Amino acid sequence: MVSTERARRSLLWATVAAFFLAVNASFVEDLDDSFKENRKNDIWLVDFYAPWCGHCKKLEPVWNEVGKEMKTIGSPVKVGKMDATSYSSIASEFGVRGYPTIKLLKGDLAYNYRGSRTKDDIIEFANRVAGPVIRPLPSQQMFEHVQKRHRVLFVYVGGESPLKEKYIEVASELIVYTYFFSASEEVLPEYVTLPEMPAVLVFKDGIYFAYDEYEDGDLSSWINRERFQGYLNVDGFTLYELGDTGKLVAIAVIDDKKFSAEHTRLKSIIQEVAKDYRDHFHRNFQFGHMDGNEYINSLLMDDLKIPTVVVLNTSNQQYFLPHKPIENSEDMVQFINEILEGTVEAQGGDGILQRIKRIIYDAKSTVGSVFKSSPLLGCFLFGLPLGVISIMCYGICTADTDGGAGEAEPLMEETAGRELTDEGTEGTDEGTEEEQEGMNEEATELADEEATELAGGEPEQKTILEKKKD
């Protein structure tokens, strides 16, 4: 009875779960080849997937939740998915090169999503890109509301100008990462002082900074550098994104699960330097911390013991390690200044030797991870090819040996034949000599008999004829 009741409950829960999955899936449209012509009047958020892709299967329930949420909030963005292997021509037209690929299609523009594959991040991306490129802030209340909602925001202040045209152009490209606003000078908070008009400002970390063309260079590069907060919780994806900024990344590698004084102290030192020395280092450095050393070890091909401090150059894969323990913020500032002065030796890099080392390291890591997760699968994947190669090598070596023996046998036969021929030739020569001697004797006897005949006598002639007959 108890087992029957449990089975009924399990069946009930499975039915409920299947029902909710089916309901959520109904908010996501399956797209086919007609999508190319029908999409232009709408804004679409599309997941290009492959049925065999494991990451695509992992994204599927999240994608169903995204579709449901977008429908619930009344978003104008439609959510769909397309099997890129069945409709490869359409996927290629949109530049799909891997799975899953998330794109927001808006008119003739296609925006790639490069953030974390979570429901909230995907929805935030869709709402940001689907809206206007530049959002106006008509009042101080609206400005304060937006500032509370966004950790980083860029604001153009002023009227029509070449700077505004450039700002709109850059915003059209970088809206996939952050928000862009425009406002009049009256809307700005009282603490904001503009060096000149028009101006582009970035608000983050509770303060603001103005763009200076002479010091900061190109507007697009400046926005790309400043779109991050001063201090970050760094992971692999964040490091990839920071590679476009050209900044060095100073991070404390710690274990967030360990609340030891050493881990907490290093994290606090980095936070303090990021805040108090921002004016000195913000153009060249990004600060943060990373939880665990697994990713950083694979990146550096080294075994860093935590807690520690490392400075990464993501553009050329070089890194710097302090030559002495970092005890306080002064030690960290000194370490950063030594890097800027070039007195700290850079390790790693992207040279030929490092690339070869990377290939070997990745191969070892892959083999090790396979054997660690599934020893039987590892034996099958790597043992089977090695076995086949061994059999092939053995067959080749055996074939060479047999071939050599086969060639030797005809050679031996030929040599023996030659010896036999030589012996036969010798025998023939001996027989010829004997016959020649016999013929010479006969000729001598005939000559003698003819001489006797001439001397006279018939009987001798008869004797000669008998001998001839004989």
Side-chain angles (χ1 to χ4, degrees), residues 34 36 47 53 149 168 174 178 189 196 208 216 230 260 275 281 339 388 432:
S34 64
K36 182 178 177 181
D47 168 30
C53 171
R149 288 189 59 190
I168 295 173
L174 300 181
T178 188
E196 59 182 0
Y208 75 95
D216 299 315
S260 66
K275 180 180 179 182
F281 301 134
I339 293 175
V388 172
T432 304

Side-chain angles (χ1 to χ4, degrees), residues 156 208 296 298 331 343 414 439 466:
Y156 172 82
Y208 75 95
I296 203 72
S298 64
D331 290 342
T343 58
E414 184 179 351
M439 290 176 66
E466 288 177 356

Side-chain angles (χ1 to χ4, degrees), residues 94-108:
F94 288 118
V96 176
R97 295 181 177 83
Y99 311 112
T101 295
I102 299 173
K103 287 180 177 286
L104 188 133
L105 308 176
K106 181 181 177 184
D108 295 330

Side-chain angles (χ1 to χ4, degrees), residues 80-334:
K81 61 180 181 179
M82 175 177 286
D83 183 350
T85 60
S86 299
Y87 306 102
S88 57
S89 60
I90 299 178
S92 298
E93 185 177 338
F94 288 118
V96 176
R97 295 181 177 83
Y99 311 112
T101 295
I102 299 173
K103 287 180 177 286
L104 188 133
L105 308 176
K106 181 181 177 184
D108 295 330
L109 300 176
Y111 297 92
N112 289 328
Y113 176 68
R114 300 177 181 177
S116 302
R117 293 171 188 159
T118 62
K119 183 190 76 170
D120 292 338
D121 289 331
I122 294 173
I123 290 175
E124 198 270 344
F125 162 80
N127 290 332
R128 181 175 69 248
V129 179
V133 175
I134 308 296
R135 290 170 165 82
L137 298 175
S139 64
Q140 286 189 356
Q141 290 77 12
M142 179 63 70
F143 185 94
E144 293 173 359
H145 172 72
V146 168
Q147 194 173 10
K148 290 177 181 178
R149 288 189 59 190
H150 305 294
R151 297 175 180 176
V152 180
L153 66 144
F154 294 89
V155 182
Y156 172 82
V157 184
E160 299 297 325
S161 68
L163 180 61
K164 184 176 183 179
E165 294 177 2
K166 182 64 177 178
Y167 180 74
I168 295 173
E169 179 185 343
V170 174
S172 301
E173 177 186 355
L174 300 181
I175 194 172
V176 294
Y177 300 119
T178 188
Y179 285 90
F180 295 88
F181 299 90
S182 64
S184 62
E185 189 174 3
E186 294 76 19
V187 172
L188 299 178
E190 295 181 357
Y191 64 84
V192 176
T193 302
L194 297 177
E196 59 182 0
M197 289 283 289
V200 177
L201 308 176
V202 58
F203 292 83
K204 63 178 182 179
D205 303 325
I207 53 178
Y208 75 95
F209 303 93
Y211 166 67
D212 187 329
E213 183 177 1
Y214 297 103
E215 292 188 6
D216 299 315
D218 181 64
L219 178 62
S220 178
S221 300
W222 178 76
I223 291 176
N224 200 36
R225 291 195 304 268
E226 296 295 338
R227 62 187 175 91
F228 297 96
Q229 292 179 274
Y231 184 89
L232 298 172
N233 185 353
V234 180
D235 55 15
F237 175 77
T238 308
L239 278 179
Y240 173 78
E241 291 290 303
L242 289 171
D244 296 333
T245 66
K247 290 184 177 183
L248 300 177
V249 186
I251 54 177
V253 185
I254 62 174
D255 188 349
D256 279 339
K257 301 180 186 64
K258 293 182 179 180
F259 298 100
S260 66
E262 184 67 13
H263 290 251
T264 305
R265 183 181 61 81
L266 276 182
K267 182 178 178 180
S268 300
I269 289 173
I270 300 296
Q271 288 176 328
E272 183 179 346
V273 173
K275 180 180 179 182
D276 296 344
Y277 294 86
R278 189 194 187 286
D279 292 340
H280 296 83
F281 301 134
H282 80 279
R283 286 187 174 87
N284 300 307
F285 285 87
Q286 175 67 51
F287 298 92
H289 76 274
M290 176 175 283
D291 182 18
N293 62 346
E294 183 176 352
Y295 181 84
I296 203 72
N297 284 345
S298 64
L299 184 66
L300 306 184
M301 295 181 289
D302 199 354
D303 187 15
L304 292 182
K305 296 181 180 180
I306 56 175
T308 188
V309 172
V310 61
V311 176
L312 304 174
N313 187 340
T314 55
S315 61
N316 60 9
Q317 299 183 10
Q318 288 184 341
Y319 63 96
F320 304 88
L321 296 175
H323 54 83
K324 65 177 183 178
I326 303 297
E327 300 291 344
N328 48 52
S329 60
E330 286 75 17
D331 290 342
M332 188 65 199
V333 170
Q334 181 183 355

